[in-house]
Amino acid sequence: GHFPWSAWAILLWGTVSADEINLPADPDALRALFADMQARIAASEQALEARVTERTFDLEMALTELRKTEQQLQYLAQHDPLTGLANRTLLEDRIAQAIARARRSGRSVAVLMADLDGFKAINDAHGHTVGDQMLKVISARMAECVRETDTVARPGGDEFVIVLEELQDLADAARVAEKLVEATSWPVTMPQGALRVSISIGLAFFPKDATEPEQLLKRADSTMYAAKTAGRNRWQAASG
């Protein structure tokens, strides 16, 4: 007679050896044999499915961890590690995007270049640990002075850049500058006592003062130094 298909399946699956397949003549025994074979095949399939499920879960977990790592690396590549603010790379991208949106909407963009007054003296007198803590506090205050859609960046040192988007009234930028000057002037309580810095800010507007990101930053920077020369602890606009 023909070798039963289920016996071939068992050979292929490897659940029993060829020597075990000695088909009995008794019908009941034969049915019992094939029932046992089918049970073994079913168990083998279940075990395989369990292994596939386990491997799929492990793969999904590995991919999740990989995505988290990629997100962390992307964040580190775009943010200042000390303050969590945007770094120079992200700042340049934000300014370019803000100008592109402003060209379409017909509105203005303000770039505020800010530099802390008196920070070097605190850093020299009390050390970098105190200086870093001061930068963290000042950075948090700055972030509270703007909208979520705006950008506060720390390109480096005690220099900050604020990008205000979709301005309908240029006076809105002046009000933000006033808030920044006030918030920065508040004392910072440290173990060494209440420490104070101030801030000098230069404002430049797209498209009024410049139409390209680099030009806009340069206008804001030169205006910031003009504010320092004028006495510090103040803001000044590039034009009028």
Side-chain angles (χ1 to χ4, degrees), residues 143-212:
E144 292 175 356
C145 292
V146 302
R147 302 165 298 182
E148 290 186 4
T149 54
D150 298 323
T151 298
V152 181
R154 179 183 175 236
D158 58 352
E159 179 184 88
F160 299 85
V161 179
I162 298 91
V163 182
L164 308 177
E165 293 195 49
E166 296 291 307
L167 295 176
Q168 292 181 313
D169 186 350
L170 300 187
D172 292 339
R175 284 189 283 271
V176 171
E178 289 282 4
K179 290 168 62 178
L180 290 167
V181 170
E182 179 184 1
T184 305
S185 67
W186 299 336
V188 178
T189 302
M190 303 288 287
Q192 294 77 7
L195 304 179
R196 291 177 179 269
V197 293
S198 62
I199 197 168
S200 297
I201 302 174
L203 278 72
F205 296 95
F206 167 89
K208 184 180 180 182
D209 301 313
T211 57
E212 298 299 329

Side-chain angles (χ1 to χ4, degrees), residues 207-224:
K208 184 180 180 182
D209 301 313
T211 57
E212 298 299 329
E214 187 176 349
Q215 297 171 349
L216 200 57
L217 284 167
K218 286 182 178 179
R219 286 300 302 274
D221 188 55
S222 62
T223 305
M224 181 268 292

Side-chain angles (χ1 to χ4, degrees), residues 39-118:
R40 294 193 190 193
I41 292 172
S44 179
E45 290 175 345
Q46 290 174 357
L48 178 61
E49 289 175 0
R51 288 196 296 271
V52 170
T53 300
E54 182 181 358
R55 295 295 185 271
T56 301
F57 177 77
D58 290 343
L59 180 59
E60 289 176 350
M61 291 295 294
L63 290 174
T64 299
E65 289 301 316
L66 179 61
R67 283 192 289 267
K68 287 181 180 178
T69 301
E70 289 175 345
Q71 291 171 354
Q72 291 171 351
L73 290 174
Q74 184 177 16
Y75 181 87
L76 292 174
Q78 296 181 332
H79 292 81
D80 171 42
L82 177 65
T83 63
L85 298 178
N87 63 12
R88 187 178 298 276
T89 300
L90 184 56
L91 170 65
E92 292 173 352
D93 181 64
R94 292 281 178 85
I95 293 177
Q97 290 186 28
I99 288 178
R101 284 190 286 267
R103 291 186 197 278
R104 294 192 295 268
S105 67
R107 296 184 178 180
S108 297
V109 175
V111 170
L112 289 70
M113 183 72 72
D115 190 79
L116 299 183
D117 307 318

Side-chain angles (χ1 to χ4, degrees), residues 6-7 10-21 36-37 40:
S6 54
I10 291 172
L11 284 173
L12 292 173
W13 279 93
T15 55
V16 296
S17 65
D19 294 337
E20 292 183 79
I21 304 177
D36 180 64
M37 290 178 176
R40 294 193 190 193

